[in-house]
Amino acid sequence: QVQLVESGGGLVQTGGSLRLSCAASGNIFRINNMGWFRQAPGKQRDLVAVITEGGSTNYADPVKGRFTISRDNAKKTVYLQMDSLKPEDTAVYYCYANILTTALRPYTYWGQGTQVTVSS
């Protein structure tokens, strides 16, 4: 069994900051890409940022220059530092991880989602 547990969402004013965390646990042999998606009400789930095992990153255009993704491989944790938040960043944020289990089976796992609300 593998679990991803998220933390760090909440309510913040425009221009504020939040830091999301997502920790993986369970029968993990290796974690490849980790990242974050978000889904606003009535909209599709969109990629926010991704980070490879080696630390290469990629960001969606709306968050470039404001969000920073990082990971701690020893802790099996991915982070999303969100600065200069805007009301349009309001969404449920989901972490994901491409994991090779100890049974050497690859699978994409998802966190439970955490609400981020930015007030104007």
Side-chain angles (χ1 to χ4, degrees), residues 60-88:
D61 285 343
V63 308
K64 283 181 180 177
R66 300 188 297 120
F67 290 11
T68 303
I69 190 170
S70 61
R71 64 190 282 173
D72 184 327
N73 290 332
K75 294 182 178 179
K76 300 183 178 65
T77 299
V78 62
Y79 306 96
L80 186 68
Q81 177 66 40
M82 304 184 293
D83 298 318
S84 302
L85 282 160
K86 305 175 181 180
E88 51 263 44

Side-chain angles (χ1 to χ4, degrees), residues 2 7 10 14 16 20 28 32-33 49 53 65 74 101 104 107:
V2 173
S7 61
T14 296
L20 307 182
I28 297 170
N32 295 314
N33 289 0
E53 184 180 16
T101 68
L104 300 183
Y107 196 75

Side-chain angles (χ1 to χ4, degrees), residues 31-38 46-61 63-64 67-71 78-81 94-98 108 110:
I31 303 178
N32 295 314
N33 289 0
M34 304 182 82
W36 296 89
F37 277 71
R38 67 185 181 185
D46 292 324
L47 178 67
V48 175
V50 60
I51 185 167
T52 68
E53 184 180 16
S56 297
T57 60
N58 195 21
Y59 296 91
D61 285 343
V63 308
K64 283 181 180 177
F67 290 11
T68 303
I69 190 170
S70 61
R71 64 190 282 173
V78 62
Y79 306 96
L80 186 68
Q81 177 66 40
Y94 298 91
C95 69
Y96 78 94
N98 301 129
T108 298
W110 292 88

